[in-house]
Amino acid sequence: MGAIVFATAGSRKYHFDKNCSAFHAAQGLNDMDCGCDTYCTHRMPRLHRQQQMSSQKAAMDGKLPCLTCVPPHLRQMPDVDGFGHQPVEVWGEPCCARCRDRGIDEYGDPWIHPTLWPCTSAIVLGLVAREVAA
């Protein structure tokens, strides 16, 4: 069984210390949802409740370890194969299934196209070999 860690329902990370400064900063930024569909005038946010779980459970839920408070030897990484970065064929070219390139054409109209494979994330994640400059 993994270490006991803390996370909220909407968080993407889990924390070893329930008083972690990064944990509270993230709550202040992302967990303030009072349920209003328009501009909120309540000024009374409802923070998600902290949940206690094992680091293995947190990793199975897709949460990443907090690099501020989780010691390296207790970090459990989620079992994800490339986070959706994989080659697919689009218009006869190998492209990343997840990444998109965005820009504005000469007429001022926005455009979105699939990113050619390998994307930067695939290289960083080690899904493809890095090219060594000569």
Side-chain angles (χ1 to χ4, degrees):
M1 182 167 157
I4 299 299
V5 297
F6 303 92
T8 61
S11 68
R12 289 184 276 163
K13 299 212 174 187
Y14 65 86
H15 301 267
F16 186 69
D17 180 9
K18 72 188 312 184
N19 294 318
C20 173
S21 60
F23 183 85
H24 291 293
Q27 274 193 321
L29 289 173
N30 297 318
D31 285 353
M32 294 193 174
D33 55 356
C34 63
C36 289
D37 291 334
T38 60
Y39 179 72
C40 176
T41 58
H42 292 106
R43 306 282 187 234
M44 295 175 7
R46 185 184 78 230
L47 297 177
H48 290 134
R49 185 177 64 86
Q50 293 180 6
Q51 299 171 340
Q52 183 175 329
M53 63 186 75
S54 71
S55 59
Q56 291 172 339
K57 165 83 168 87
M60 285 190 296
D61 289 346
K63 297 185 186 303
L64 296 168
C66 172
L67 300 179
T68 303
C69 67
V70 179
H73 67 282
L74 294 178
R75 293 179 185 160
Q76 297 279 332
M77 298 303 281
D79 186 22
V80 178
D81 293 333
F83 297 95
H85 298 278
Q86 57 186 0
V88 294
E89 188 174 320
V90 179
W91 304 310
E93 296 278 341
C95 297
C96 179
R98 182 167 179 186
C99 296
R100 302 291 178 263
D101 291 330
R102 293 171 170 79
I104 298 181
D105 66 14
E106 62 271 12
Y107 303 109
D109 296 324
W111 55 265
I112 301 174
H113 294 290
T115 304
L116 292 175
W117 184 260
C119 63
T120 303
S121 297
I123 296 168
V124 170
L125 290 170
L127 302 175
V128 295
R130 291 181 186 232
E131 294 182 16
V132 179

